[in-house]
Amino acid sequence: MKTFHLIVFSLLMSFASIGQKGETLFGLQYKPVIPNRLIGFYEQEFNQSPFESTVKQKYGHAASMLIRIGINDKLAVETGLGFTQRNYDLNFAHIDSGYTATGDVRVVSYSLPAKFLVFIRLSDMWYMNTALGAAMTMFPSDVQTTYPISLNENFQQEGAYRSKVQGAALANVGFECRTKSKGTFYFGGAYHLPFIPIMTFAMSYEHISNPLVSIDNIRGSFLTADIRYYFPENKKDKK
């Protein structure tokens, strides 16, 4: 992990060193997390007969502040500071007794991304953009939810992060419209792939005489739709 921190720090320092070669833009980004069966984590079963449970991804969201530094007309680098909230549906069932419960849990994280961007010019204002990079992600706290059945019975979910600081690979593709006076508008999609499973989940049926627990890792990958806005560069007094 120390090596990863050094890599990210070196990338940020290299960004600063090339800032004089192109324009520097400040932007804002919002990314709804889109659950789907094709790419990213969607659903996972936690079964310990006669106890059955599932964890399923649902819509979440991410937002960040961005700094883009141009290298030339076709290349740029980007970093920033982001917030992500993953949301999951929880389903519990004890087959023998007929007890069931549903709920949800949210997993919050903060990230520092570093990406290299490549642009293809489509017209005077429109560009296609692809990017690859990595992010350093911090998880501030574990999560836990309890669903009572009776005085001595309940369903419970607990989640513990594998490491407080983790890394992830980033990839995105999209299109942007650049205007001189109103800024740059971007629309695209992105994929976030953690290097290791982000958390270990324990799903349980708690009972004094017969507790049942199923434990597994949650990968935490997800697909997003990206909406960005970059403010126009202020070139007054620029040397």
Side-chain angles (χ1 to χ4, degrees), residues 110-155:
Y110 302 91
S111 63
L112 178 65
K115 296 186 294 183
F116 288 91
L117 292 73
V118 178
F119 301 98
I120 300 174
R121 188 168 185 173
L122 303 177
S123 67
D124 289 342
M125 295 192 302
W126 284 93
Y127 291 77
M128 182 179 178
N129 160 251
T130 60
L132 290 174
M136 182 172 64
T137 304
M138 185 189 76
F139 295 88
S141 63
D142 297 336
V143 295
Q144 178 177 326
T145 54
T146 302
Y147 302 92
I149 301 172
S150 64
L151 183 62
N152 296 318
E153 292 178 276
N154 61 74
F155 293 119

Side-chain angles (χ1 to χ4, degrees), residues 129-228:
N129 160 251
T130 60
L132 290 174
M136 182 172 64
T137 304
M138 185 189 76
F139 295 88
S141 63
D142 297 336
V143 295
Q144 178 177 326
T145 54
T146 302
Y147 302 92
I149 301 172
S150 64
L151 183 62
N152 296 318
E153 292 178 276
N154 61 74
F155 293 119
Q156 185 165 289
Q157 174 273 336
E158 295 181 59
Y161 48 75
R162 302 286 304 281
S163 174
K164 193 175 183 67
V165 178
Q166 302 180 24
L170 306 175
N172 69 263
V173 60
F175 300 88
E176 65 183 38
C177 179
R178 300 178 182 178
T179 66
K180 293 182 179 180
S181 60
K182 296 182 180 180
T184 299
F185 301 86
Y186 175 95
F187 307 93
Y191 182 52
H192 182 105
L193 177 63
F195 294 145
I196 62 173
I198 61 170
M199 303 189 83
T200 298
F201 269 29
M203 306 288 282
S204 61
Y205 165 72
E206 303 288 342
H207 190 272
I208 295 176
S209 62
N210 187 28
L212 300 170
V213 182
S214 181
I215 300 174
D216 205 347
N217 295 324
I218 297 294
R219 185 68 185 176
S221 57
F222 58 84
L223 180 71
T224 62
D226 295 12
I227 303 170
R228 305 178 197 167

